[in-house]
Amino acid sequence: MLEKINNLLSEIEEFAADSKEQVEEYRIKWLSKKGQITTLFEDFRTVAPEIKREVGQKLNELRTKAQDKINALKEKHESASEKGASKNIDLTVPSDPSIQLGSRHPLSLVKNQIIDVFARIGFTVSDGREIEDDWHNFTALNTPENHPARDMQDTFYVELNPEMVLRTQTSSVQVHIMENQKPPIRTISPGRVYRNEAISARAHCQFHQIEGLYIDEKVSFADLKQTLNFFAKELFGTETKIRMRPSYFPFTEPSAEVDISCTICKGEGCNVCKYTGWVEILGCGMVDPQVLDNCGIDSKKYSGFAFGMGIERITMLKYRVKDLRLFFENDVRFLKQFTGE
Ligand code: DAH
């Protein structure tokens, strides 16, 4: 028996496995229920008492050695196969073509471009609310009840509370800001607005605007013009010109509408500018002193300008989109064209 044990001991010592599977084979061969070492332990019962001690020690040594060897080999093969797995990652394999990359919505793209331009000249971004009370959407902006200018904007009223409306313009945010902040104020407010209009290629019941507001001592119409001139050149290219036409808004005095030279025909005349060479992009003016007073700002000390533009309109011009409805249909064939912008 001793001889058998010694043979097994040297077999174990020399043993080297090429694979995890081979290690497992040997574990079964030596240590499983019917394995050689287990069988030797069974035979041990019949060993003559005078050599029992010696054989017992040897047998224990054999079992420990076998277990240690198998554990060591197992570990070696397991960590080798893990390393092999990470070594096998091929970073040059093209990605799965069924996973499509998304793109930003064109309105978000243009909104961010506009924010970027104004941020460079010190304008912050402020948020308002889409469900607004009558005061902030109309009355504070010099448009009291029965004022004819309310007809310019077909309003959605909240059925349960007709004092509340879906805001028809982001000018409502101006009022909140002036009520809550002290001049100097320099901020733009992007957001969604709603009007009860029939949906067509040129009109929608929901769209987006960006409002601008600048209040300080001695702010002049020249500041307004220079700010918008800078904006037009930054957004549409340095060759872009602006012109201002007198207009009317209840909350500004004087008021103007701003055109840019047609970006498509460069002022030559085309169907986008209806052969005038100019396209309207926004409304603006000097904040009416009455509005400043309505919002708690001393109109004797402070003056300011405001402007408001439709993001859809600017986007249609920049990317030559012909139908407003495309912005709200979420057709991937349309949206995909803005990947990488
Ligand atoms: N709120 C106006 C509209 O929706 C746009 C506008 C015009 C905003 C003149 C202004 C402004 O701040 O000064 O048609």
Side-chain angles (χ1 to χ4, degrees):
M1 184 155 186
L2 265 177
E3 200 188 312
K4 219 172 171 183
I5 294 174
N6 280 332
N7 284 344
L8 263 178
L9 264 173
S10 50
E11 191 187 330
I12 285 169
E13 225 136 79
E14 280 159 29
F15 172 62
D18 299 327
S19 67
K20 244 159 97 171
E21 289 71 31
Q22 214 181 348
V23 180
E24 180 61 9
E25 240 170 61
Y26 273 82
R27 189 193 64 78
I28 293 168
K29 184 176 163 196
W30 293 332
L31 294 164
S32 69
K33 265 191 183 158
K34 288 190 180 142
Q36 292 186 19
I37 296 172
T38 323
T39 324
L40 280 174
F41 268 96
E42 268 157 30
D43 298 346
F44 179 67
R45 277 185 249 135
T46 60
V47 165
E50 59 273 18
I51 51 164
K52 231 179 176 149
R53 199 180 139 92
E54 194 192 347
V55 175
Q57 275 174 358
K58 268 272 183 241
L59 207 50
N60 276 328
E61 185 192 333
L62 174 69
R63 187 167 59 181
T64 318
K65 278 234 165 94
Q67 252 159 9
D68 288 353
K69 183 90 184 196
I70 282 177
N71 287 344
L73 284 171
K74 236 189 194 166
E75 208 168 282
K76 185 177 139 197
H77 282 289
E78 266 163 18
S79 61
S81 67
E82 268 167 30
K83 262 189 222 145
S86 64
K87 240 192 263 162
N88 284 339
I89 293 177
D90 181 355
L91 295 174
T92 65
V93 172
S95 61
D96 181 351
S98 65
I99 301 170
Q100 301 227 345
L101 210 58
S103 58
R104 277 199 201 286
H105 193 281
L107 294 177
S108 299
L109 283 172
V110 171
K111 178 186 81 175
N112 290 338
Q113 289 165 13
I114 297 171
I115 290 175
D116 219 51
V117 172
F118 282 105
R120 270 180 263 150
I121 49 174
F123 281 76
T124 58
V125 176
S126 38
D127 245 349
R129 50 192 76 158
E130 292 180 24
I131 301 175
E132 194 52 279
D133 55 39
D134 187 275
W135 167 259
H136 289 90
N137 195 74
F138 289 122
T139 307
L141 291 164
N142 256 355
T143 324
E145 217 181 322
N146 302 323
H147 192 290
R150 286 205 184 195
D151 296 344
M152 282 160 67
Q153 301 173 0
D154 299 302
T155 311
F156 285 116
Y157 288 88
V158 175
E159 205 173 358
L160 290 174
N161 181 0
E163 273 291 293
M164 304 297 283
V165 300
L166 297 189
R167 69 175 175 199
T168 59
Q169 51 185 352
T170 44
S171 302
S172 56
V173 189
Q174 276 189 35
V175 180
H176 286 285
I177 293 166
M178 288 193 279
E179 283 173 339
N180 295 308
Q181 289 178 31
K182 288 195 166 36
I185 295 168
R186 217 182 310 176
T187 189
I188 55 171
S189 323
R192 193 171 290 161
V193 298
Y194 302 86
R195 291 188 196 176
N196 191 359
E197 296 210 30
I199 296 170
S200 72
R202 323 199 90 243
H204 211 286
C205 58
Q206 57 168 351
F207 55 100
H208 299 78
Q209 289 187 330
I210 292 193
E211 188 77 13
L213 179 69
Y214 185 13
I215 312 277
D216 204 349
E217 290 178 37
K218 301 196 182 92
V219 176
S220 71
F221 200 91
D223 296 324
L224 169 62
K225 189 170 180 184
Q226 193 49 44
T227 303
L228 296 177
N229 192 35
F230 170 78
F231 163 69
K233 287 186 190 308
E234 289 292 302
L235 198 74
F236 292 102
T238 44
E239 72 288 356
T240 310
K241 293 191 191 65
I242 66 163
R243 76 173 184 188
M244 298 178 106
R245 286 178 289 105
S247 185
Y248 171 77
F249 298 101
F251 36 86
T252 41
E253 181 58 37
S255 304
E257 274 168 326
V258 173
D259 299 340
I260 55 165
S261 50
C262 182
T263 51
I264 288 152
C265 63
K266 311 277 173 232
E268 299 273 304
C270 68
N271 61 359
V272 171
C273 61
K274 301 199 192 81
Y275 300 95
T276 62
W278 297 93
V279 226
E280 186 195 320
I281 57 158
L282 56 82
C284 64
M286 301 305 292
V287 180
D288 192 306
Q290 181 63 49
V291 174
L292 293 175
D293 291 332
N294 286 347
C295 302
I297 288 184
D298 182 358
S299 60
K300 293 200 181 62
K301 185 164 178 206
Y302 296 106
S303 57
F305 64 71
F307 55 86
M309 65 186 96
I311 303 180
E312 280 79 0
R313 194 185 183 85
I314 307 260
T315 311
M316 287 170 98
L317 267 177
K318 268 209 88 153
Y319 293 107
R320 302 193 193 184
V321 178
K322 290 209 175 77
D323 193 321
L324 190 71
R325 289 169 291 199
L326 286 166
F327 292 127
F328 301 102
E329 282 165 1
N330 283 336
D331 185 331
V332 261
R333 290 168 303 178
F334 172 66
L335 298 175
K336 221 166 51 183
Q337 298 174 54
F338 298 89
T339 314
E341 283 282 325

